[in-house]
Amino acid sequence: MLRYITLRLAGLIGVLLAVSALTFFLMHAIPGGPFDAQALAQNKVLPTEVITQLNIKYGLDKPLVEQYLTFMLNAVRLDFGYSFTSQTRTVTQIIADQWPYSIQLGLLTLVFSMIIGLGLGLGAAIKQGTWLDYLGTTVSIFCMVMPGFVFAILLQFVFAVRLHWLPTGGWDKPATWVLPVLANSLAPILTLQRFTKSSMVDAMRANYVRTARAKGLSEQRVMLIHVLKNALSPVITVGGPMAASLVIGSFFIEKIFQIPGIGFYWVNAIQTRDYPMIMASTLIWTALITITYLLTDLAYALIDPRVAFVKES
Amino acid sequence: MRNITSTGKPTGKPTGKPLLEVNNLKTEFILRQGIVHAVNDVSFTVGPGEVLGIVGESGCGKSVTALSIMRLLEGTTGRIVGGQILFNDDGKVRDLVSLSREEMEHVRGYKMSMIFQDPMTSLNPVLSVGYQIKEPLKVHSHMSEKDATEEAVKLLDRVGIPEPRLRLNDFPHRFSGGMRQRAMVAMAAACRPKLLIADEPTTALDVTIQAQILDLIRELREDIGTAVIIITHDLGVVAEMADKVAVMYAGYIVEQGTVHEIFNAPQHPYTRALMSSIPRLRDWPDRLTTIEGAPPSLLGVSHGCPFEPRCRYRQPICAEEHPGLLDVAPNHPCACWVAQEGGIS
C-alpha cells in the first residue's frame, strides 16, 4: 500500500514536468507578450524601449529553455515570481490570499451538494415511482437546464434585491455564503443525484440483494449495508474529480457574488498573458487532480475488497 | 420400466401435520405485453424433515413457486394473486401470503431459508463471508458479536471449509464456486430453519462439487431435521435426494407422488416423456430422446391442458378443458384426462 502511494506520488512529478513544459512552451508560442496585451487593454502603445526594459526586468529576454529551467527551479520552492499584473504581490502571495475563499466556497458547495444529491439519489432509488423519485428527477432536470450564472443572478434578484433576506454578494458572514453555494451546486447535484440513483438501481437488481432479503434482513439493512456499499464506487469515481474542480474556484460565481476568490485570477491570467500566474495555476490544477485520483483509487480499496494494489504472490 | 432406487436417503419420519401446505397458489407477472401466469393452482405439502423435489424444464414456474413461498417477489413485477401458503411454526399455523413485510422478515432466514442457483453472484462481494454468515444469527437469534463469530466458525467447519476461523474474514472473491455454495449453505442453515429451499443448488457447479453440495444438504437435513424443497431440472438429483416429487409444466403441477412412483410408474405423458429421455448406460442410444415441440407461452389465458400440443395421447377434450389434479393411485395425483380415465398402457 505504502509502496503504491509512493509510486503514484513519484508519477505525479513526471506528470507535473510534462504538463509544465507543454504549458510553458505553448503559452510562449502565442503571439504577443504580457506587456502589449496589458497596454492594448488600456488603449496605449508602450514604447519599444519600455517593453525591452520590462522584458529584462522579468527575465523574458533570456532564451526560452533557460527561462523554463529558472522558473521550474524556483517553483520547487513554491516561488513562482511576481505576477505581471501586480507590482506588490508575488504569485504565491496572491494564491495564499485569495485561494482560501475559493476553497471555502468549494468545500461548502461539495458538502451541500453531497447532502442534496446523494439524498435525492438514494431516495429516488429506494422509493422508485413515489414523489421522492419525481422530486429527484425534477431537481436534476432543473440543474441540467439552468445555467449556473443565470441561476446566480435570479437568486440575487429574488432573495437579495426583492426580498432583502440575504446580501447580494461579499464573503464574510455565513449569510453571504448561502446564495453562492446554491448557485454553485447545480452541476454537482445533477451529477451526484443521477450517479447515485443509477448505481443504486443497478446494485438493487443484484443476486446478493435477493440473498440478503432471503436472510430476513430488514429493508433498511438491505439498502444501507448490502446495496449502498456496492453502489458507492461509481459515485466516488465522479465525486473525486468533482471535489477537485470545486475547490479550484469558479470564475462566474465569484465574479457575480463579488467573492475575492482565485477563480478571477486564473481566467484573467490568460487574458493578460500573466506567465507566472498561468504556470502556477496549471501546476496547482495538475497536482490537485492527480492527488484526487490517487485518493479516489485509495477509497475504492477501502470500499471494495476486490481492489488490490499489490500483486499477490 | 427401469428401476431407479434412491440411495442413502433416511427413511422419512412419521409425519403428522405438514410443515408447509401450499394451496392453490397463483402467481402472476404483469408485463407490458400482458399477464404471465407463472404459477397456476399449485398445491403441495411438505412434512417435517421431508424432502420434496420439484422438477420441470426452464420456465415452468419452479423457481417462481419457491420465490413465492419466500415472498421474495415483492419489488418485482411478480405478485401472488391467490392461494395460501400455510406454514406450521411449532403448532402455530400461519398463512405466509397474508403476513406483513415485517412479520415475513422474522420467518425468512430464521424459520425457512433459501439457497440459490448461482453462488458466484449470490454472496455480497464487499462484505466478508463471516459478516454475511453472522448476519442472520445476530438479527434472528440475537447473538452477540462474539457468540455469532463462534457459531459462524462452527458452521463453516460444518460445511467443510478448512481453517474456518481464518476464512471467516475472507471476502467472497477468495472463495471458489463450490466454497461459496458451501458458505451459502452455512448461511441458510445458521438459524436451524425448519424448511430449506434449494433452488437449483448445483446447476452452476462442477459435477464433483455437485455431489458434495448434495451430500451436505442431506447431512444438514439429518443433523437439524430440516425439511427440504429441492428445485431442479436434474432427474438424477431428485432420485438421489427426494422423498416426494412434484412435476411442473407450464406453471402447473402435472403429477405428484413418491420418488418411487414417479420414477417407476409415471402416469402423466409429460413425466413419461421426461423419464424416457434419460439416457441409459446399458443401452446407450445413437440419438438422445427428446420431447417434440416447445413449452407454451405463459402469456394470456389458455384453456385445455398445456401439454396437449406435444402429447402423444391427446384426446379432443384435452384442448378444451384443463384437467384438474386427481388421484390416479393413492396419494398420486395426476393432471391428465387420459391417465384419469384409466391410464396409458
Side-chain angles (χ1 to χ4, degrees):
Chain A
M1 186 74 142
L2 215 67
R3 195 180 124 83
Y4 174 80
I5 297 173
T6 319
L7 278 174
R8 283 284 295 262
L9 287 177
L12 170 62
I13 295 170
V15 173
L16 282 176
L17 280 172
V19 169
S20 65
L22 204 66
T23 313
F24 192 87
F25 294 108
L26 269 179
M27 97 192 158
H28 279 278
I30 306 171
F35 307 112
D36 43 49
Q38 283 178 38
L40 206 66
Q42 296 163 28
N43 282 324
K44 274 189 281 186
V45 179
L46 287 179
T48 327
E49 301 80 43
V50 178
I51 290 187
T52 317
Q53 286 305 312
L54 280 169
N55 278 345
I56 292 169
K57 183 187 170 198
Y58 287 104
L60 296 173
D61 54 334
K62 304 214 173 64
L64 268 192
V65 177
E66 194 189 325
Q67 284 185 42
Y68 175 69
L69 289 177
T70 320
F71 175 82
M72 287 308 283
L73 282 175
N74 290 328
V76 171
R77 287 177 277 119
L78 290 182
D79 171 11
F80 300 108
Y82 275 92
S83 162
F84 292 171
T85 53
S86 171
Q87 301 294 322
T88 49
R89 290 198 295 174
T90 64
V91 169
T92 313
Q93 270 172 333
I94 293 176
I95 293 174
D97 290 345
Q98 318 304 147
W99 200 17
Y101 293 104
S102 299
I103 293 178
Q104 208 185 347
L105 170 65
L107 289 180
L108 283 171
T109 306
L110 186 68
V111 171
F112 176 71
S113 46
M114 288 251 266
I115 295 169
I116 301 296
L118 283 177
L120 283 176
L122 283 176
I126 295 172
K127 303 269 178 208
Q128 278 178 67
T130 64
W131 64 272
L132 205 56
D133 190 2
Y134 297 124
L135 177 69
T137 309
T138 311
V139 169
S140 66
I141 289 177
F142 176 81
C143 292
M144 187 156 54
V145 297
M146 175 62 82
F149 54 90
V150 176
F151 189 48
I153 293 166
L154 263 176
L155 286 174
Q156 272 183 332
F157 179 71
V158 175
F159 294 100
V161 179
R162 283 287 151 127
L163 298 171
H164 299 289
W165 288 356
L166 295 160
T168 42
W171 190 263
D172 38 51
K173 310 183 294 289
T176 60
W177 303 348
V178 178
L179 295 184
V181 166
L182 266 177
N184 206 16
S185 297
L186 288 181
I189 287 179
L190 170 69
T191 314
L192 286 172
Q193 198 270 346
R194 295 180 58 138
F195 269 85
T196 309
K197 183 184 172 183
S198 70
S199 66
M200 281 292 284
V201 168
D202 271 353
M204 278 158 68
R205 290 202 198 103
N207 280 345
Y208 53 76
V209 175
R210 194 179 55 187
T211 309
R213 291 213 175 92
K215 284 197 280 188
L217 307 181
S218 64
E219 247 345 80
Q220 233 177 342
R221 206 183 159 101
V222 171
M223 286 298 164
L224 294 182
I225 294 177
H226 287 261
V227 178
L228 185 59
K229 216 173 165 206
N230 279 283
L232 272 181
S233 294
V235 178
I236 287 172
T237 311
V238 294
M242 193 177 82
S245 69
L246 281 176
V247 296
I248 202 75
S250 158
F251 176 73
F252 289 116
I253 300 297
E254 287 169 11
K255 190 98 180 152
I256 293 170
F257 289 101
Q258 301 294 305
I259 299 165
I262 199 77
F264 165 77
Y265 290 85
W266 297 148
V267 177
N268 196 46
I270 295 171
Q271 286 169 350
T272 54
R273 306 278 154 72
D274 190 348
Y275 294 151
M277 196 58 147
I278 293 176
M279 288 301 288
S281 72
T282 315
L283 290 178
I284 288 174
W285 239 123
T286 309
L288 204 61
I289 284 285
T290 316
I291 289 169
T292 318
Y293 274 111
L294 172 61
L295 290 178
T296 309
D297 288 349
L298 293 178
Y300 286 149
L302 267 181
I303 286 177
D304 193 336
R306 285 167 297 183
V307 177
F309 295 122
V310 200
K311 271 191 192 153
E312 289 173 53
S313 51
Chain B
M1 277 298 141
R2 83 210 134 265
N3 277 297
I4 295 178
T5 44
S6 47
T7 50
K9 185 161 50 62
T11 46
K13 290 180 213 157
T15 51
K17 261 198 212 159
L19 173 72
L20 182 79
E21 189 180 339
V22 177
N23 291 324
N24 304 97
L25 178 69
K26 274 175 91 74
T27 302
E28 295 175 351
F29 286 85
I30 297 166
L31 304 183
R32 203 172 299 156
Q33 302 95 306
I35 294 174
V36 175
H37 302 272
V39 175
N40 299 301
D41 283 315
V42 161
S43 304
F44 57 82
T45 58
V46 183
E50 203 171 36
V51 179
L52 169 73
I54 301 183
V55 287
E57 55 200 277
S58 305
C60 72
K62 318 183 284 285
S63 296
V64 178
T65 305
L67 294 173
S68 301
I69 296 170
M70 291 290 284
R71 290 262 309 268
L72 283 173
L73 290 171
E74 274 145 59
T76 71
T77 50
R79 62 196 176 106
I80 299 170
V81 291
Q84 289 179 310
I85 301 167
L86 301 175
F87 186 70
N88 184 345
D89 182 6
D90 287 325
K92 207 172 97 191
V93 178
R94 293 199 285 179
D95 183 5
L96 300 185
V97 176
S98 63
L99 293 189
S100 71
R101 183 195 258 181
E102 284 75 24
E103 287 173 314
M104 196 58 210
E105 278 163 11
H106 295 293
V107 177
R108 275 202 297 254
Y110 186 35
K111 304 290 182 186
M112 60 188 206
S113 54
M114 187 160 174
I115 305 169
F116 297 95
Q117 180 172 350
D118 187 0
M120 300 313 274
T121 58
S122 291
L123 287 167
N124 194 324
V126 302
L127 299 172
S128 73
V129 172
Y131 181 90
Q132 295 185 62
I133 294 177
K134 282 186 272 182
E135 246 180 343
L137 292 169
K138 288 195 272 190
V139 170
H140 299 302
S141 308
H142 306 290
M143 281 192 191
S144 66
E145 175 66 36
K146 199 165 151 264
D147 290 348
T149 305
E150 288 311 309
E151 187 63 26
V153 170
K154 278 186 216 152
L155 281 163
L156 271 190
D157 188 44
R158 181 68 196 77
V159 298
I161 304 267
E163 297 187 87
R165 200 171 290 276
L166 285 174
R167 301 310 297 245
L168 218 52
N169 302 320
D170 273 350
F171 287 89
H173 69 280
R174 291 190 167 249
F175 275 43
S176 68
M179 284 165 79
R180 288 188 208 190
Q181 198 62 309
R182 284 164 191 273
M184 282 293 292
V185 173
M187 202 158 36
C191 296
R192 302 178 160 260
K194 295 193 160 16
L195 175 67
L196 175 70
I197 301 178
D199 185 3
E200 310 239 9
T202 57
T203 306
L205 300 173
D206 288 343
V207 180
T208 46
I209 311 292
Q210 285 185 8
Q212 293 172 9
I213 296 293
L214 291 178
D215 281 342
L216 194 58
I217 294 175
R218 200 159 29 216
E219 283 165 28
L220 270 172
R221 179 212 176 182
E222 286 166 38
D223 282 5
I224 58 179
T226 181
V228 178
I229 296 179
I230 187 152
I231 292 169
T232 179
H233 57 247
D234 187 338
L235 293 167
V237 169
V238 174
E240 206 178 316
M241 299 284 294
D243 301 316
K244 294 199 302 192
V245 184
V247 182
M248 283 191 78
Y249 185 80
Y252 291 92
I253 289 186
V254 294
E255 186 168 6
Q256 234 174 313
T258 64
V259 72
H260 186 78
E261 285 169 330
I262 296 293
F263 278 85
N264 293 323
Q267 294 298 310
H268 196 280
Y270 175 63
T271 320
R272 294 166 72 103
L274 273 186
M275 293 302 157
S276 56
S277 61
I278 305 174
R280 277 162 285 171
L281 264 185
R282 215 179 296 168
D283 187 13
W284 196 260
D286 291 332
R287 279 182 72 90
L288 294 172
T289 316
T290 58
I291 304 175
E292 293 289 323
S297 161
L298 301 179
L299 253 176
V301 190
S302 66
H303 306 282
C305 170
F307 191 59
E308 184 264 340
R310 303 169 83 181
C311 184
R312 291 165 57 186
Y313 308 96
R314 63 171 172 265
Q315 300 293 320
I317 187 170
C318 299
E320 281 155 30
E321 208 174 324
H322 187 272
L325 274 171
L326 268 184
D327 277 350
V328 292
N331 290 321
H332 185 162
C334 174
C336 171
W337 290 115
V338 182
Q340 288 165 10
E341 289 292 303
I344 301 154
S345 53

